[in-house]
Amino acid sequence: MSSTHEKETAPTAAHIGLAHTPDVERIEAPVTWKAYLICAFASFGGIFFGYDSGYINGVLGSQIFINAVEGTAPIHEGVSESHQALVVSILSCGTFFGALIAGDLADMMGRKWTVILGCLIYLIGCVIQMITGLGDALGAIIAGRLIAGIGVGFESAVVILYMSEICPRKVRGALVAGYQFCITIGLMLASCVVYGTQNRKDTGAYRIPIAIQFIWAIILAGGLMCLPDSPRYFVKKGNLAAATNSLSRLRGQDPNSEYIQVELAEIVANEEYERQLIPSTTWFGSWANCFKGSLWKANSNLRKTILGTSLQMMQQWTGVNFIFYYSTPFLKSTGAISNTFLISMVFTIINVFSTPISFWTVERFGRRTILFWGALGMLICQFLVAIIGVTVGFNHTHKDANDNSIANNINAVNAQIAFIAIFIFFFASTWGPGAWILIGEIFPLPIRSRGVGLSTASNWLWNTIIAVITPYMVGEKRGNLKSSVFFVWGGLCTCAFVYTYFLVPETKGLSLEQVDKMMEETTPRTSAKWKPTTTFAHAAEEGMLNVPAEKQV
């Protein structure tokens, strides 16, 4: 732990002679196709997040993999509940620590190079997973997924940070939603690969799905090497020449363009203002800054950290990963579905094609609005699935001639499946992308990388917890909750509904610098009405940004 102070000082726009404007509508260049493509490529990182989360569901059902992990004497019909929980959750454990480490590295070595390093770590984890079946199979898959998880943690935290900092404000929500879209594509690709290898009688049944992970990491790392780093990272480091060059490439404008000068002046002025509020300090102090301020003040660092981490917690509490991690064995146990993989694939396809709806809704109606109505739709679906199940559906079964469990009312189970599909639609078009968008927007630059890292770590912490406890909640020899588990998810979706109304602000159409000011001057319930009145650069020129000592962290 270093006790030295961070070497980040940014001169004001006035000091360096940048052009600036009081017009809040002219602080960014017009959006070009080049800007769209550069920002959209970064979202590709979501594919190996989704793929890595999705392929394990099918691999756990492979008899070759089961034999490798559990042994062949006696023959096991499936991976034990304890091993299943460990294999699924260990990835999330790695990502939890990876996201926290990435928060530091993103400020030390830059946003894009942290993601590239994460891709390298991910590849090492994939190599270790490939040797599963040689020696201690369980040890290899666990070690490999833990290391790969650290790489995914780097990627999942810093790609959101990078995209939020480079995307134009008017389309930032739509472009960051593309990250969630890529996660859903990754899940779908994993399902397709597992389906294509499920009947193999050799180790290719699980090694091929593992090996394909190499493709995603190589594409992302190779592409990012050709892209500029975040201009806000360079401003934070005081390297204005690099910031100008980066912004010029991202906006498709000449470095001397007024658009580039004005946007850079706005970033610099906000950095100066935030540095007055949050002075540079030691390594430990920089983490402690994330937790400073009053719990009752909407713009305090503590409130922002709680907001970011709780948003990701709520996203996991919806229960969506129960469906994507454990839908195959859960649906199989109903006896009402002849092809459980097909239903699981239908869920995945709905997830993929529902997410792009958010590209429009998040900019048309706003973040807060889609989260609010999305939570309402999800809680209704979850409670309907639970009520149907405990009354006439999945919870009521009988044995057939082959001693297989069959649902008494097939139509009722089909209705449950339909409402699960509708639930996925609501999640994919609202909470799926919405939570990721907001965590990249709410933190001020001095603590942004660590705030996003903490928020992403929260996602993976709760992902781990849910992955561990779910087999015990629904396992026939454990909790055996059957449809009653949806009462749990419905209750948690109700929490998300109330939480959104009272605590989630509206950030639509604002620059990252304007979001800081909005949270300082308004409350979540009134935030949608807030409009900026001047730019940071103009306010700094007029001497309006001096911070009283009592407001400094």
Side-chain angles (χ1 to χ4, degrees):
M1 183 184 300
S2 173
S3 61
T4 60
H5 285 64
E6 295 178 352
K7 305 294 185 184
E8 295 151 348
T9 57
T12 64
H15 290 163
I16 57 178
L18 291 172
H20 60 272
T21 176
D23 187 350
V24 296
E25 297 301 323
R26 297 188 68 250
I27 59 172
E28 279 187 349
V31 183
T32 64
W33 278 108
K34 180 181 178 181
Y36 271 122
L37 293 175
I38 289 175
C39 297
F41 177 80
S43 66
F44 183 86
I47 287 185
F48 69 77
F49 178 161
Y51 185 91
D52 216 49
S53 299
Y55 88 87
I56 198 64
N57 185 26
V59 166
L60 287 171
S62 165
Q63 192 60 51
I64 300 293
F65 182 81
I66 294 168
N67 292 344
V69 172
E70 301 293 343
T72 56
I75 295 293
H76 294 263
E77 294 184 357
V79 177
S80 68
E81 289 164 346
S82 59
H83 287 165
Q84 183 178 356
L86 181 60
V87 170
V88 172
S89 64
I90 197 67
L91 176 84
S92 303
C93 180
T95 53
F96 171 80
F97 291 105
L100 291 178
I101 296 169
D104 268 334
L105 291 181
D107 276 350
M108 292 170 55
M109 60 190 298
R111 283 42 166 157
K112 83 167 188 177
W113 290 109
T114 303
V115 177
I116 292 170
L117 177 60
C119 290
L120 177 61
I121 296 171
Y122 181 77
L123 289 173
I124 294 171
C126 293
V127 170
I128 296 173
Q129 290 178 71
M130 286 288 291
I131 66 174
T132 298
L134 303 176
D136 185 354
L138 182 63
I141 193 71
I142 294 301
R145 280 178 63 79
L146 178 64
I147 293 171
I150 293 173
V152 174
F154 277 37
E155 176 273 330
S156 59
V158 183
V159 164
I160 291 296
L161 172 65
Y162 179 66
M163 291 186 69
S164 296
E165 291 190 340
I166 69 173
C167 290
R169 63 190 173 106
K170 292 183 179 179
V171 292
R172 185 178 61 240
L175 289 171
V176 176
Y179 178 78
Q180 175 66 21
F181 181 53
C182 286
I183 293 176
T184 66
I185 292 175
L187 286 164
M188 183 175 70
L189 290 173
S191 296
C192 293
V193 171
V194 167
Y195 181 68
T197 59
Q198 65 178 346
N199 294 322
R200 292 182 67 98
K201 303 301 181 185
D202 57 16
T203 57
Y206 61 86
R207 282 184 172 151
I208 290 174
I210 292 171
I212 287 177
Q213 297 173 102
F214 281 85
I215 299 172
W216 321 133
I218 291 170
I219 291 174
L220 181 63
L224 281 178
M225 286 184 180
C226 303
L227 300 184
D229 212 326
S230 164
R232 288 174 169 87
Y233 162 72
F234 289 125
V235 167
K236 183 177 170 65
K237 288 294 185 182
N239 189 346
L240 297 182
T244 302
N245 180 62
S246 171
L247 197 59
S248 171
R249 291 177 63 189
L250 290 168
R251 300 293 182 256
Q253 300 280 336
D254 185 89
N256 296 317
S257 159
E258 182 183 357
Y259 287 117
I260 299 301
Q261 296 288 303
V262 166
E263 184 171 357
L264 186 60
E266 187 73 355
I267 296 171
V268 169
N270 176 258
E271 161 70 3
E272 178 70 14
Y273 175 66
E274 293 294 348
R275 278 295 170 202
Q276 293 180 61
L277 289 170
I278 313 170
S280 296
T281 181
T282 62
W283 175 86
F284 180 80
S286 64
W287 278 102
N289 280 341
C290 294
F291 302 96
K292 288 187 176 179
S294 170
L295 181 62
W296 311 112
K297 185 181 177 183
N299 195 45
S300 72
N301 290 352
L302 175 61
R303 274 286 292 272
K304 289 177 179 178
T305 299
I306 292 174
L307 176 61
T309 53
S310 57
L311 270 167
Q312 293 294 322
M313 177 184 74
M314 290 291 175
Q315 189 199 60
Q316 291 299 309
W317 276 12
T318 61
V320 69
N321 279 335
F322 166 75
I323 294 165
F324 291 115
Y325 284 163
Y326 299 109
S327 62
T328 299
F330 184 80
L331 293 173
K332 186 177 181 180
S333 65
T334 67
I337 306 300
S338 58
N339 190 337
T340 53
F341 173 82
L342 180 61
I343 297 297
S344 180
M345 189 64 185
V346 167
F347 289 162
T348 303
I349 291 172
I350 292 170
N351 193 29
V352 170
F353 288 99
S354 299
T355 303
I357 296 172
S358 67
F359 297 176
W360 177 70
T361 58
V362 76
E363 299 297 357
R364 174 64 180 83
F365 302 109
R367 287 71 157 147
R368 173 181 166 86
T369 301
I370 67 169
L371 291 182
F372 180 81
W373 292 107
L376 179 63
M378 288 190 296
L379 74 88
I380 291 171
C381 290
Q382 296 279 28
F383 281 125
L384 284 173
V385 172
I387 292 168
I388 293 171
V390 299
T391 53
V392 294
F394 171 44
N395 286 26
H396 301 271
T397 61
H398 63 274
K399 298 291 185 178
D400 65 6
N402 296 320
D403 202 36
N404 295 318
S405 183
I406 300 293
N408 294 345
N409 190 329
I410 303 296
N411 290 333
V413 174
N414 289 338
Q416 288 181 271
I417 292 171
F419 281 115
I420 291 173
I422 297 170
F423 159 80
I424 293 172
F425 164 79
F426 277 112
F427 174 85
S429 58
T430 59
W431 273 85
W436 290 111
I437 294 168
L438 275 166
I439 68 167
E441 297 177 329
I442 60 176
F443 294 101
L445 184 55
I447 65 166
R448 185 173 295 143
S449 64
R450 291 176 174 87
V452 174
L454 284 166
S455 302
T456 307
S458 172
N459 179 290
W460 289 109
L461 173 64
W462 286 100
N463 193 306
T464 304
I465 292 171
I466 290 171
V468 170
I469 66 175
T470 297
Y472 297 95
M473 293 169 68
V474 299
E476 291 186 10
K477 297 179 181 178
R478 305 288 182 173
N480 198 25
L481 290 179
K482 296 185 178 180
S483 298
S484 299
V485 73
F486 288 94
F487 280 120
V488 176
W489 307 132
L492 294 174
C493 285
T494 303
C495 293
F497 177 71
V498 175
Y499 166 88
T500 302
Y501 179 75
F502 286 105
L503 296 175
V504 176
E506 182 53 73
T507 58
K508 181 188 73 169
L510 302 178
S511 70
L512 297 182
E513 291 70 36
Q514 289 168 346
V515 170
D516 288 343
K517 200 67 176 172
M518 176 272 292
M519 295 184 73
E520 184 178 313
E521 296 179 354
T522 189
T523 65
R525 282 182 287 173
T526 60
S527 57
K529 299 177 182 179
W530 186 88
K531 301 295 180 186
T533 56
T534 189
T535 64
F536 269 93
H538 181 71
E541 178 80 3
E542 298 296 320
M544 299 162 57
L545 293 183
N546 294 324
V547 179
E550 65 269 15
K551 285 192 175 183
Q552 296 184 19
V553 172

